[in-house]
């Protein structure tokens, strides 16, 4: 019997934490998904709406990050990569107007414009910090303690929940475009892609994309298997 008619997997049997028989659904996220890290595939096993296990792989990777060149000014600034991740998180929350501002700043950075990104990011910084919608939507999503950071070799910027990481991301972009902080190059202080399955295990499927977007992942440099939780 075909267990994946039309490519859609059927639920299979499994045991929950109480030893009772429940359905387990296998659901892939990626590699082609709006506002999702390019090439990342998360194969999630679900009981109800909770991720109980996950595998991660990368497909169609390439040379990304600081190796990317724009048509306007050579190497892409790290701030432009971070703006792109900011676009994804803001869009997933549903704040399309703020995502558009972050996109505008990213495009200006790629053009080599200095004044445009500064104005856009300053306005974005003010609005993000005042936004009740962002706070309500992201508070409590993937909270990470100092012990979690040490266990998974994560940078300090990942401390707290998705809302804390959003504020940290905006602050870092703001500092970089204003020249107060040249910013860490893409690839440093990065979140290893192979820890993503561990981080999403136990989350409700509805929050997985927000959680992943909040991690500010650097583009992956090559195609290969990256982990198992």
């Amino acid at each position: 019997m075909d267990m994946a008619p039309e490519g859609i997997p059927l639920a299979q049997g499994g045991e929950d934490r109480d030893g009772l028989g429940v359905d387990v659904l296998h659901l892939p996220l990626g590699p082609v998904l709006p506002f999702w890290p390019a090439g990342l595939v998360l194969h999630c096993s679900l009981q109800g709406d909770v991720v109980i296990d996950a595998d991660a792989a990368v497909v169609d990777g390439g040379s990304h990050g600081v190796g990317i060149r724009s048509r306007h000014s050579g190497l892409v600034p790290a701030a432009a990569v971070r703006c792109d991740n900011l676009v994804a998180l803001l869009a997933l929350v549903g704040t399309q107007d703020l995502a558009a501002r972050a996109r505008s700043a990213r495009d200006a950075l790629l053009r080599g414009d200095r004044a445009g990104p500064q104005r856009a990011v300053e306005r974005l910084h003010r609005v993000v910090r005042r936004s009740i919608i962002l706070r309500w939507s992201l508070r409590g999503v993937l909270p990470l303690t100092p012990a979690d950071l040490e266990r998974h070799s994560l940078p300090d910027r990942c401390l707290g929940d998705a809302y804390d990481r959003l504020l940290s991301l905006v602050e870092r972009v703001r500092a970089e475009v204003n020249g107060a902080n040249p910013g860490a190059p893409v690839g440093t202080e990065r979140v290893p892609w192979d820890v993503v399955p561990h981080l999403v295990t136990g989350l409700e499927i509805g929050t997985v994309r927000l959680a992943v977007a909040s991690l500010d992942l650097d583009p992956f440099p090559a195609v290969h298997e990256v982990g198992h939780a």
Side-chain angles (χ1 to χ4, degrees):
M1 177 181 177
D2 185 4
M3 298 304 292
E6 302 297 330
I8 302 174
L10 300 177
Q12 299 176 354
E15 290 188 354
D16 68 2
R17 66 189 67 185
D18 299 318
L20 302 176
V22 294
D23 287 338
V24 177
L25 179 65
H26 302 287
L27 176 70
L29 295 176
V32 181
L33 195 63
F35 309 116
W36 182 259
L40 175 64
V41 184
L42 275 182
H43 297 281
C44 300
S45 298
L46 306 177
Q47 284 185 346
D49 60 356
V50 176
V51 178
I52 61 169
D53 191 24
D55 291 298
V58 176
V59 297
D60 294 334
S63 180
H64 296 292
V66 290
I68 299 176
R69 291 183 176 271
S70 74
R71 291 176 297 175
H72 304 281
S73 58
L75 293 178
V76 170
V81 177
R82 296 190 176 107
C83 276
D84 207 43
N85 290 339
L86 188 55
V87 169
L89 183 53
L90 294 171
L92 286 171
V93 174
T95 52
Q96 299 297 338
D97 56 334
L98 298 183
R101 295 186 190 189
R103 189 179 295 110
S104 175
R106 178 203 62 192
D107 292 345
L109 285 165
L110 293 177
R111 291 193 302 269
D113 182 3
R114 296 187 61 85
Q118 290 176 347
R119 292 192 298 268
V121 171
E122 283 296 334
R123 289 194 296 268
L124 186 64
H125 177 265
R126 291 194 298 269
V127 177
V128 164
R129 295 191 67 87
R130 294 198 303 261
S131 173
I132 296 175
I133 293 176
L134 290 173
R135 187 181 301 112
W136 180 83
S137 300
L138 296 175
R139 271 296 180 212
V141 174
L142 188 60
L144 296 173
T145 66
D148 294 324
L149 302 193
E150 182 176 0
R151 182 182 309 114
H152 298 296
S153 300
L154 298 173
D156 290 343
R157 64 177 177 79
C158 291
L159 185 65
D161 58 19
Y163 182 69
D164 295 318
R165 289 187 289 275
L166 169 64
L167 297 182
S168 172
L169 178 56
V170 175
E171 289 284 1
R172 284 183 291 125
V173 171
R174 181 191 184 208
E176 289 168 20
V177 300
N178 285 320
N181 177 8
V186 173
T188 64
E189 295 189 351
R190 71 182 187 89
V191 174
W193 279 36
D194 57 359
V195 307
V196 174
H198 299 272
L199 297 177
V200 303
T201 298
L203 298 182
E204 294 183 356
I205 189 63
T207 66
V208 167
R209 292 180 68 187
L210 289 174
V212 172
S214 77
L215 294 172
D216 184 25
L217 295 174
D218 286 337
F220 198 78
V223 180
H224 65 279
E225 195 77 14
V226 297
H228 173 72

